[in-house]
C-alpha cells in the first residue's frame, strides 16, 4: 500500500484538477477551506470560489440557486453542519428540485477525534439516503475519492460525498476501475462476506487476515456507493458465502448496515451482523482509542463474523 492520506486531502487535489477541466464548476465553503481543503481550488480559480462564512443553510441555498442557473456546484463544510444544520435546505432546495449540487462533507464519524461528540457525525448517511434522488458516496482512500468525485461531478443531479479528517491507508491505484453505484471486490472469499466502506475498509482487510488464521475465508467488498446500492454484488455474495457482516464508521441505524439488511430481507435473507456506532454519542479522544472503545475495529469485525459463523 502507498502512504496514508486523508480523503479530504484527496478531495482538495481532485477539485483543483477538475477546475481546469470544467469551467462551469463552482466550489463553495462555509469558512472552513483550510480544513475541507477547498482552498486549493480557491487559489487557482478565485472567481469560481464562494465562501459564505459560518452560514451553512445559506451555503446550500445559494448552491441550489447557482446549480439551477446552470452551474455544477461542490459545496463543503463539516458533515455535522451539512447533514445536520442544513438538512432542510438540502432536502427541499437541492433534493426536491434535483439541483446539480454535490454536498461534499468532511470530518465525518468517530475519527474526528478530539472535536468530540458534537462534531462526530453518525447520522449523515442515514439522513442523506432518505432524500429521493440523492446519490450517497463514502470513499475509503485517496485514489477512490479522486475517481469517484470525478464521476459525481460528471453526473447530473444531487450527491452527498462523505470525507474524513484522518489519514487512511491506500488500497486503490490508477489501475483500479471504480464505478459509481458498483461495489468493488477487494478480496475473494467463500465462507463469509464483509461489506464495508470509508475507514472500515482497512479494518475489514485486517479482519479478513485474522479470520483466515481460524480457517474462515472472508470476502471483502467496498460498498463505496450506498445509494444507489449495488444489489447485484451483494446478493451474489449472500448466495455464495451465506453470511454477511457490514462495517461502517456510522450508526448501525440507517447507514450501510440498514441498507444491506433492507435488501437481503426482501430478496435473499441470510445471517447478518453489523459493526458500527451503537445507539450512542461519542466523546472527545484520540481517534484510534475511540474506534476501540466504540467497536469500529478489525477485532470487532472478527467477533461479529464469528457470531454468525
Amino acid at each position: 500500500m502507498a502512504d496514508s492520506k486523508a480523503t479530504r486531502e484527496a478531495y482538495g487535489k481532485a477539485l483543483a484538477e477538475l477546475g481546469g477541466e470544467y469551467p462551469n464548476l463552482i466550489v463553495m465553503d462555509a469558512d472552513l477551506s483550510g480544513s475541507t481543503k477547498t482552498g486549493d481550488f480557491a487559489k487557482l480559480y478565485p472567481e469560481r470560489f464562494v465562501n459564505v462564512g459560518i452560514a451553512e443553510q445559506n451555503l446550500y441555498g445559494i448552491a441550489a440557486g447557482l446549480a439551477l442557473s446552470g452551474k455544477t456546484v461542490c459545496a463543503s463544510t463539516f458533515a455535522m453542519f451539512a447533514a445536520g444544520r442544513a438538512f432542510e435546505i438540502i432536502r427541499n432546495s437541492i433534493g426536491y428540485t434535483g439541483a446539480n449540487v454535490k454536498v461534499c462533507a468532511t470530518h465525518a464519524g468517530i475519527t474526528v477525534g478530539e472535536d468530540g461528540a458534537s462534531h462526530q457525525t453518525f447520522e449523515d448517511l442515514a439522513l442523506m439516503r432518505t432524500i429521493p434522488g440523492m446519490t450517497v458516496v463514502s470513499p475509503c482512500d485517496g485514489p477512490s475519492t479522486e475517481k469517484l468525485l470525478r464521476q459525481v461531478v460528471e453526473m447530473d443531479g444531487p450527491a452527498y460525498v462523505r470525507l474524513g479528517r484522518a489519514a487512511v491507508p491506500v488500497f486503490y491505484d490508477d489501475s483500479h476501475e471504480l464505478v459509481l453505484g458498483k461495489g468493488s471486490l477487494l478480496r475473494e472469499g467463500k465462507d463469509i462476506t464483509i461489506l464495508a466502506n470509508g475507514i472500515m475498509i482497512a479494518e475489514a482487510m485486517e479482519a479478513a487476515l485474522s479470520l483466515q488464521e481460524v480457517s474462515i475465508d472472508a470476502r471483502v467488498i467496498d460498498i463505496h456507493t450506498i445509494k444507489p446500492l449495488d444489489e447485484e454484488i451483494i446478493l451474489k455474495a449472500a448466495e455464495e458465502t451465506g453470511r454477511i457482516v457490514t462495517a461502517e464508521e456510522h450508526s448501525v441505524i440507517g447507514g450501510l448496515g440498514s441498507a444491506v439488511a433492507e435488501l437481503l430481507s426482501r430478496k435473499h435473507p441470510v445471517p447478518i451482523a453489523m459493526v458500527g456506532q451503537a445507539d450512542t454519542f461519542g466523546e472527545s479522544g484520540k481517534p484510534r482509542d475511540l474506534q476501540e472503545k466504540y467497536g469500529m475495529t478489525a477485532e470487532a469485525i472478527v467477533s461479529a463474523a464469528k457470531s454468525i459463523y
Side-chain angles (χ1 to χ4, degrees), residues 8 21 54 85 101 103 115 126 130 146 187 194 219 221 279 293:
R8 62 180 174 131
E21 299 175 38
I54 306 171
R85 185 174 295 166
V101 176
V103 179
D115 286 1
T130 63
E146 294 174 25
R187 188 183 192 276
I194 304 169
R219 184 179 303 185
I221 300 174
D279 188 18
K293 177 170 182 177

Side-chain angles (χ1 to χ4, degrees), residues 67-269:
L68 294 170
S69 299
K71 304 296 185 182
T72 298
V73 184
C74 287
S76 295
T77 183
F78 288 2
M80 186 67 253
F81 307 144
R85 185 174 295 166
F87 176 79
E88 186 265 333
I89 307 300
I90 293 172
R91 178 192 184 274
N92 287 337
S93 297
I94 296 173
Y96 182 59
T97 65
N100 197 24
V101 176
K102 322 306 176 181
V103 179
C104 300
T106 70
H107 293 65
I110 200 76
T111 49
V112 174
E114 291 84 352
D115 286 1
S118 63
H119 285 51
Q120 292 161 352
T121 324
F122 306 119
E123 310 86 1
D124 56 319
L125 298 177
L127 288 167
M128 291 298 114
R129 64 183 284 260
T130 63
I131 299 176
M134 180 71 74
T135 295
V136 181
V137 186
S138 181
C140 76
D141 66 3
S144 62
T145 298
E146 294 174 25
K147 291 172 182 284
L148 293 168
L149 181 67
R150 174 175 290 276
Q151 294 174 52
V152 165
V153 167
E154 291 172 348
M155 63 166 265
D156 185 34
Y160 180 78
V161 181
R162 187 187 217 234
L163 305 161
R165 177 186 191 181
V168 288
V170 172
F171 291 93
Y172 293 101
D173 58 34
D174 291 341
S175 68
H176 288 98
E177 181 181 357
L178 280 88
V179 179
L180 200 64
K182 295 294 181 183
S184 299
L185 178 65
L186 292 177
R187 188 183 192 276
E188 284 284 6
K190 66 181 188 308
D191 297 326
I192 198 165
T193 298
I194 304 169
L195 304 174
N197 58 27
I199 69 158
M200 295 306 289
I201 287 295
E203 305 298 330
M205 294 295 277
E206 184 180 336
L209 293 176
S210 296
L211 288 166
Q212 190 171 19
E213 294 176 1
V214 292
S215 300
I216 299 175
D217 189 19
R219 184 179 303 185
V220 179
I221 300 174
D222 179 7
I223 304 294
H224 47 71
T225 309
I226 299 158
K227 186 183 177 186
L229 192 66
D230 186 350
E231 296 191 0
E232 181 180 359
I233 199 170
I234 294 170
L235 291 172
K236 183 173 185 285
E239 292 166 2
E240 292 178 353
T241 69
R243 303 169 185 87
I244 298 288
V245 175
T246 63
E248 59 194 312
E249 188 195 12
H250 183 273
S251 173
V252 293
I253 302 169
L256 173 64
S258 291
V260 171
E262 289 160 14
L263 169 65
L264 295 178
S265 67
R266 288 186 291 110
K267 295 193 175 181
H268 193 85

